[in-house]
Amino acid sequence: MERGELEDAVAAALDGHGGVAMVSGVAGIGKTTLLTAVTAAASEQGVRVLRGRCSLDAGTPALWPWRSVLRQGRRFGLDPRSLDAVEGPPPQARFLSFASTTNDLIRAARRQPLLILLDDLQWADEPSLRLLDHIAREATGTHLLVLGGTRDPSKVSAVVRGADIRWIPLAGWDVASVARFLRESVGPSDRSWPAYVHHLTGGNPLFTREVIHEAKRGWSFNEPPPPELTMPENVRALLHDRLASLSPDVRQVLGAASVLGEDFTLSFLGMVLDLSAGAVAGHVRDAVEAGIVMSTGPQAFRFEHALTRQAAYDACTDAQSAMWHGRAARAVLGSPARADAGRIAGHLVRAAVDALTATQAIDACGVAASRASGRGDHEDAIRWHGRALELAELAQLPVERQAMLLLGLAVSEFAVLRVDSALRHAEASMDLAEILGHADLAAQAALVIRGVGGAAVNQRVGVLCRRALALLPADDLALRGRVIAQQAMAIVETTDDIPDALARRAAAQLALEAAQLSSDADVTATADALHLQERLAAGPDSGSVRIRLGADLAALGRIRERPEAVIWARLWRIDGFLQTGAVAAADAEIAGLAGVADDLGWPLARWQLLRARAARAMLAGRFAEADALAQEGREVAERCGDSSMIGQYYAYRLDVQRKTGRFEPADVSMVAALAESDPRPILLAVAAEYLHAAGDVETAQTLLARLAPQVTELPANIQQPAIAAMAGELAAAFGDRATVQACYRVLEPFAQLYNASSNGYRGAYARPLGVMAMCLDDGPVADAYLTQARAMERSVGARAETALAQLAHAQLCASGHGRHDHDRARQLARAALRLATKLGMNPTRAAATDLLRRLDGLDSAGHSGLTARERQIATLVGDGLTNRQISTQLHVSERTVESHLRNLTLKLGYANRTQVATWVSRAELGDDPP
């Protein structure tokens, strides 16, 4: 809009209607950029452009910008000597020199339109402005145009009074414009960045660019913005210059106002300065006129943007800011806003200068942290715990108080899954607890980290538990039971061999007994024991066990020491229901988990919900949705810094690639390298399966060879049947009958269950059992298992796994093990092809297509398989089209359509098009023959 106004002024000058146009706005708002763009466009239209810039230098000669303009115009008759005063009284001499200069400029513009650009007019000397006034009065009706830029329009308008000047004020960018600039400069960013940057800069384009440039140096735009961002030096210098132009009294008032924040009232400001509201009002009005602050209501004001407030604050001395913060805290304590614990703590922290004031600040931080935790704002609680710890040395805080602060910080950090940081502070708290011999404090430090996977983390948790148990008295059964349960959980996550598994079960039993012996029926210990039992649940009944344990945990209600128990109660039941195929019940639990996540607002709850939804999307064959949910989960995990959570993202990503065939070369290399360095059976199985599907058969065989000897020694846990299923199918593909037999024996007890949980969906175990039975030449058993697998997948609506079961069954029917039942093989392969094509399962589609090609011409009745055209016509018949409509769509004659339809009904063994349509409909739904 502003550029359009300036271009209109240029067009008017070209038509002989020149004049003066002024662009105004604060430093960095874009005045120079706009003026430069307009003058460049004018130059391309044949307009001569001369430029002058005012200077702040005290030694700058009078009329300096005009002298620069006239020097540039020497080649077409202009001369800076026209500005030299002629003989006569000074006022008359100045008028005559101005008139001579103006005439020279108008005469030059008559030969060719002339544009004069004057920038930084806020620094112009008075003679330069008076000459501008003189030219403005004479430029109307000429081809002369003067464009100017100024931060201070009042200075220009105070001198250039009588001229008809077009004023064009520039405003900052709105949030949408900041967001657009962010996308253009850094790409995708966390959704909170645009509003954050706009809040800091007020939309000032220069400040916006510099703040973003500064953030690039040490912050990821995929994460939420930092609490504080270092002010870029050039922005600091610009704001310092603006403040320096004000009187010392106004600067002092602004410094005190900055202590109160970006918004302030005259009454509070007066309390901070120990003055009346009326005494500070005049100084605030001066700041308003300078554009530093703005009025937001009666007696209420706001800094123009956060950076201006920061610059005013930085200009205060340490003694001033400490004094003003102390007064502000007392003012808040005596006001209706007393409940604002964070505001009080913030002022007291900055007012702390000795042990007494530092202790007061620590007390206030404790209140602020407690209230923040109570409303679920754990990030704010972390901030206040951290501020308190920063003051511990100045306050000469007792060791026990320091330990409690560290513990509170660790608890708040774990609430937002900053696991590594929470562990460090829990360990630091444990160190101090041991110095004090404080058993309860040691136990609390050991219990901070709960329910987190990964061996490295749980090894450290186990050490914390051992240290706590060494301090806890033998008769404190409830607390010992909770720590023992925690220790047993840590052991579960860090060991996999059978002897340790037995020790883990003994620890679980001990923890449960301790909870039961507790005199006050400690529900926390019971919850911990239930959690351990869930981690130890294994075998074919593990799904039903998880459902029962989830119900038992939910029956305990809300547990103050274990607020996350409501998450686990839902999650265990989701896993149990998915494993047993009760999808409707799982959906209800996922909906309930969504409510829990909204209620708690925790990253942990959000992450668990995202992975449960991703598993449900995988079950339904919605691969793009599953991938997007997993990616969102990864973003949550990255903010939490938990590598085990990020691993879950890759598990989904790799499974989507395996099923769709859209492999990423970087992921293929990453999986191969990871499997080489990490010998865990589950990782070897996943990597071998993925690499085999990606075409790296040699590496897949190598990994299977490393995994095979471990199959019969796998610990009885949730991973055992999944590993056996993956290893068994791979071994069948490689003809490794010995490994197939070992895997078959492990997996056989799970035949009625699904390889499904919130970790993902891989289908009924009956399918890999059928594939393995086929490899072992047991056709009838393979046929029974694959028939069962198809029925199980269809019963839960698992379309992708239905296609895989159909393909496997088709391959059995086409083989010698399936007694060469080619009609059945063809029907199953077609159904698999139809589903795989719809879902984008390229490997399955390709395998089904290949099988159909091999089956062409091989059935006992002498009929060949459908041709491509016949399959196309069958599809259109299924869509309800008549022969005439089909002929029009395919650009063939109606007689040709009738011929193809007759052939395909013969091949399918059907009597009419209704049966063909029914067959297509069944294939569309993934239906298949019995």
Side-chain angles (χ1 to χ4, degrees):
M1 181 178 69
E2 294 88 354
R3 178 165 180 168
E5 289 190 59
L6 291 175
E7 289 174 343
D8 288 346
V10 172
L14 287 169
D15 291 338
H17 302 288
V20 176
M22 287 285 137
V23 176
S24 64
V26 297
I29 202 68
K31 300 182 299 297
T32 300
T33 300
L34 175 61
L35 290 167
T36 301
V38 171
T39 53
S43 180
E44 292 178 358
Q45 298 177 62
V47 178
R48 284 175 174 162
V49 178
L50 303 177
R51 295 174 174 83
R53 182 181 292 274
C54 303
S55 173
L56 189 59
D57 194 324
T60 304
L63 297 164
W64 177 253
W66 292 108
R67 292 182 187 278
S68 299
V69 166
L70 296 171
R71 276 197 302 273
Q72 295 168 41
R74 276 180 171 145
R75 65 184 182 278
F76 44 88
L78 300 178
D79 191 337
R81 288 177 295 183
S82 65
L83 290 172
D84 296 336
V86 298
E87 293 182 4
Q92 183 180 359
R94 178 57 54 86
F95 177 84
L96 291 174
S97 68
F98 283 1
S100 174
T101 300
T102 302
N103 289 335
D104 289 346
L105 291 170
I106 291 173
R107 188 164 42 251
R110 195 177 298 133
R111 292 191 294 270
Q112 182 177 351
L114 178 61
L115 187 157
I116 297 173
L117 174 60
L118 300 176
D119 207 355
D120 290 329
L121 282 169
Q122 71 275 1
W123 295 326
D125 59 306
E126 186 174 344
S128 291
L129 293 177
R130 293 200 178 280
L131 176 54
L132 175 60
D133 180 60
H134 193 101
I135 292 171
R137 295 171 191 271
E138 302 295 329
T140 304
T142 73
H143 293 283
L144 174 64
L145 173 65
V146 180
L147 297 182
T150 180
R151 300 178 191 174
D152 186 359
S154 63
K155 180 176 181 179
V156 177
S157 59
V159 177
V160 190
R161 295 188 186 127
D164 184 15
I165 295 180
R166 182 182 302 192
W167 282 99
I168 303 172
L170 292 188
W173 290 344
D174 58 15
V175 175
S177 298
V178 172
R180 185 164 52 251
F181 180 78
L182 264 169
R183 285 194 300 273
E184 293 170 353
S185 55
V186 302
S189 63
D190 184 89
R191 61 185 178 182
S192 55
W193 269 98
Y196 171 77
V197 173
H198 187 270
H199 171 72
L200 281 180
T201 67
N204 184 296
L206 172 63
F207 295 175
T208 297
R209 285 191 290 269
E210 292 301 323
V211 162
I212 291 172
H213 178 72
E214 182 70 28
K216 282 182 182 179
R217 298 180 180 180
W219 206 264
S220 169
F221 285 89
N222 291 323
E223 302 174 4
E228 295 180 1
L229 189 65
T230 303
M231 190 186 304
E233 284 304 316
N234 60 337
V235 173
R236 188 187 303 277
L238 283 170
L239 294 174
H240 174 77
D241 289 345
R242 292 186 65 194
L243 292 171
S245 67
L246 302 171
S247 71
D249 288 343
V250 174
R251 291 201 300 272
Q252 182 175 15
V253 167
L254 288 175
S258 71
V259 164
L260 297 174
E262 290 167 38
D263 294 273
F264 60 91
T265 63
L266 290 182
S267 58
F268 262 81
L269 182 56
M271 291 182 205
V272 169
L273 287 164
D274 199 18
L275 296 170
S276 68
V280 298
H283 298 314
V284 173
R285 279 196 299 271
D286 291 343
V288 171
E289 291 176 4
I292 302 295
V293 299
M294 62 188 75
S295 175
T296 58
Q299 306 288 305
F301 299 87
R302 174 182 297 161
F303 282 91
E304 63 169 336
H305 49 65
L307 293 179
T308 304
R309 179 253 171 183
Q310 186 62 48
Y313 189 87
D314 291 344
C316 303
T317 65
D318 290 343
Q320 281 177 324
S321 62
M323 176 182 66
W324 288 336
H325 276 297
R327 290 178 181 174
R330 288 192 292 275
V332 174
L333 282 166
S335 75
R338 180 171 181 172
D340 189 348
R343 190 177 177 193
I344 296 169
H347 286 308
L348 288 177
V349 165
R350 290 172 174 83
V353 293
D354 53 28
L356 176 61
T357 53
T359 301
Q360 292 173 341
I362 289 172
D363 292 341
C365 287
V367 174
S370 177
R371 292 189 181 176
S373 296
R375 64 176 182 268
D377 189 351
H378 300 288
E379 293 287 357
D380 201 37
I382 290 169
R383 183 164 67 92
W384 292 120
H385 283 306
R387 291 291 175 86
L389 284 166
E390 290 169 2
L391 294 171
E393 184 176 353
L394 179 61
Q396 301 174 18
L397 209 63
V399 172
E400 182 174 358
R401 187 77 184 278
Q402 293 182 48
M404 292 301 295
L405 286 175
L406 286 165
L407 181 61
L409 177 58
V411 169
S412 295
E413 287 173 329
F414 181 68
V416 292
L417 282 186
R418 295 188 191 175
V419 177
D420 289 341
S421 184
L423 254 178
R424 287 197 307 273
H425 292 121
E427 289 165 342
S429 182
M430 177 67 77
D431 292 341
L432 298 182
E434 288 177 329
I435 292 172
L436 296 167
H438 197 316
D440 285 352
L441 183 58
Q444 295 304 316
L447 294 169
V448 169
I449 311 299
R450 308 178 299 277
V452 174
V457 168
N458 281 283
Q459 284 170 356
R460 293 166 66 183
V461 171
V463 171
L464 285 172
C465 291
R466 287 198 298 273
R467 294 168 68 181
L469 289 170
L471 290 176
L472 280 168
D475 59 352
D476 192 345
L477 295 179
L479 201 50
R480 285 188 66 86
R482 289 167 59 187
V483 175
I484 289 170
Q486 174 86 327
Q487 184 181 38
M489 282 283 293
I491 295 172
V492 167
E493 295 291 341
T494 54
T495 59
D496 286 326
D497 54 90
I498 297 301
D500 278 339
L502 296 175
R504 288 179 292 174
R505 292 185 184 280
Q509 184 60 35
L510 178 59
L512 187 58
E513 290 174 3
Q516 293 168 343
L517 288 171
S518 173
S519 59
D520 58 353
D522 191 340
V523 294
T524 305
T526 303
D528 289 344
L530 291 173
H531 203 147
L532 182 57
Q533 290 181 59
E534 188 277 334
R535 296 299 297 147
L536 294 170
D541 64 342
S542 59
S544 57
V545 168
R546 285 189 173 85
I547 295 169
R548 175 180 56 79
L549 291 173
D552 290 346
L553 185 60
L556 296 177
R558 293 284 180 132
I559 305 171
R560 184 172 61 83
E561 293 85 357
R562 292 291 182 271
E564 74 278 8
V566 291
I567 301 173
W568 302 122
R570 295 282 185 184
L571 201 64
W572 298 349
R573 284 179 286 184
I574 290 170
D575 289 349
F577 287 135
L578 288 177
Q579 187 178 0
T580 55
V583 175
D587 286 342
E589 292 297 333
I590 292 173
L593 182 58
V596 169
D598 290 340
D599 183 36
L600 293 177
W602 291 2
L604 173 63
R606 178 66 183 164
W607 181 75
Q608 298 288 12
L609 174 63
L610 288 169
R611 73 189 189 103
R613 285 175 170 170
R616 187 62 180 86
M618 288 295 290
L619 185 153
R622 300 191 299 265
F623 300 125
E625 179 186 339
D627 200 39
L629 289 165
Q631 175 61 44
E632 189 177 349
R634 179 188 181 176
E635 292 168 2
V636 174
E638 286 177 337
R639 289 197 291 270
C640 297
D642 189 338
S643 59
S644 66
M645 292 165 64
I646 296 172
Q648 182 65 64
Y649 156 74
Y650 280 105
Y652 277 114
R653 178 183 175 91
L654 299 181
D655 202 35
V656 169
Q657 291 181 21
R658 180 177 67 88
K659 287 175 178 172
T660 62
R662 294 190 288 270
F663 296 97
E664 294 288 342
D667 288 338
V668 174
S669 301
M670 179 270 294
V671 169
L674 187 61
E676 181 64 31
S677 61
D678 194 331
R680 284 178 295 168
I682 186 63
L683 187 57
L684 291 175
V686 170
E689 178 190 54
Y690 173 80
L691 294 172
H692 179 257
D696 189 352
V697 176
E698 183 178 350
T699 303
Q701 285 181 305
T702 301
L703 294 177
L704 180 63
R706 290 170 57 192
L707 174 62
Q710 304 180 57
V711 169
T712 56
E713 302 298 324
L714 290 172
N717 58 27
I718 195 171
Q719 295 177 354
Q720 181 195 30
I723 294 170
M726 287 184 277
E729 276 203 270
L730 274 174
F734 297 142
D736 181 356
R737 290 170 61 92
T739 301
V740 168
Q741 287 177 332
C743 294
Y744 188 89
R745 285 193 294 271
V746 171
L747 193 59
E748 200 169 13
F750 298 86
Q752 303 301 319
L753 301 174
Y754 295 83
N755 185 358
S757 69
S758 53
N759 293 320
Y761 184 83
R762 288 171 164 269
Y765 284 120
R767 185 184 58 78
L769 281 168
V771 171
M772 286 187 271
M774 181 166 41
C775 177
L776 297 174
D777 299 326
D778 195 339
V781 171
D783 183 76
Y785 271 135
L786 292 174
T787 299
Q788 175 188 329
R790 286 162 40 213
M792 289 177 70
E793 303 297 3
R794 287 182 59 78
S795 71
V796 299
R799 299 194 299 165
E801 302 298 333
T802 295
L804 292 175
Q806 288 168 337
L807 176 62
H809 208 171
Q811 290 167 335
L812 172 70
C813 293
S815 69
H817 309 301
R819 298 181 182 178
H820 301 295
D821 189 350
H822 294 151
D823 285 339
R824 193 179 184 205
R826 188 175 289 110
Q827 292 177 55
L828 286 164
R830 286 176 187 140
L833 175 61
R834 188 79 177 192
L835 264 179
T837 301
K838 277 188 167 296
L839 299 176
M841 299 172 65
N842 294 323
T844 304
R845 179 186 55 77
T849 300
D850 287 343
L851 179 58
L852 285 168
R853 286 173 180 163
R854 286 189 281 111
L855 289 170
D856 278 350
L858 298 178
D859 71 312
S860 58
H863 302 306
S864 63
L866 298 186
T867 65
R869 176 66 83 184
E870 288 165 352
R871 286 195 294 272
Q872 192 176 24
I873 289 174
T875 300
L876 296 175
V877 168
D879 291 338
L881 273 64
T882 65
N883 288 358
R884 177 169 296 179
Q885 290 170 325
I886 294 172
S887 70
T888 301
Q889 183 163 329
L890 299 182
H891 305 290
V892 296
S893 70
E894 192 171 346
R895 180 170 296 179
T896 300
V897 173
E898 292 172 353
S899 177
H900 283 306
L901 184 57
R902 185 167 52 254
N903 289 337
L904 71 88
T905 53
L906 286 172
K907 290 177 181 179
L908 294 173
Y910 294 144
N912 54 53
R913 64 186 300 122
T914 300
Q915 290 177 318
V916 172
T918 301
W919 172 78
V920 171
S921 177
R922 288 166 61 85
E924 186 88 30
L925 297 172
D927 210 345
D928 48 38

